[in-house]
Amino acid sequence: MTRVQTAYLDDDALDLSGADAAPARVIEIGEITAGIAVPERGGVRFFSSERRFDGLDGTLFRTVEQAARAAREKDRQPRLRAV
């Protein structure tokens, strides 16, 4: 199950030049917090909070839903383990 929750940031953290900015969103995949989607011009930027999602870190998505979908797909990829 994927959950997207609202996270409130300091208004000065986002420079959207007075636009009615949407709040940042926390993206959870099951019990794991994948990262946060922070609004900016042109969409939302994903910042990972779990190593397995680092490949998405810094990516700009058009919508929070696209960021959540990418995180779900990343979670489904097989993980390599050191032996």
Side-chain angles (χ1 to χ4, degrees):
M1 173 169 97
T2 304
R3 252 190 325 181
V4 178
Q5 297 180 340
T6 302
Y8 296 97
L9 300 176
D10 182 354
D11 289 342
D12 295 331
L14 301 174
D15 180 18
L16 296 175
S17 299
D20 289 332
R25 301 294 183 125
V26 175
I27 298 174
E28 296 178 338
I29 309 296
E31 300 276 325
I32 298 166
T33 301
I36 188 168
V38 179
E40 67 174 57
R41 286 192 208 290
V44 295
R45 186 148 326 255
F46 180 85
F47 295 97
S48 68
S49 61
E50 172 74 29
R51 176 170 274 183
R52 75 178 82 170
F53 302 101
D54 282 353
L56 300 174
D57 194 57
T59 303
L60 182 65
F61 294 94
R62 284 190 293 164
T63 66
V64 173
E65 291 76 18
Q66 286 180 340
R69 186 177 320 117
R72 275 194 309 275
E73 290 171 7
K74 192 77 166 165
D75 187 53
R76 289 185 188 124
Q77 294 176 357
R79 297 187 256 310
L80 301 176
R81 294 188 317 190
V83 287

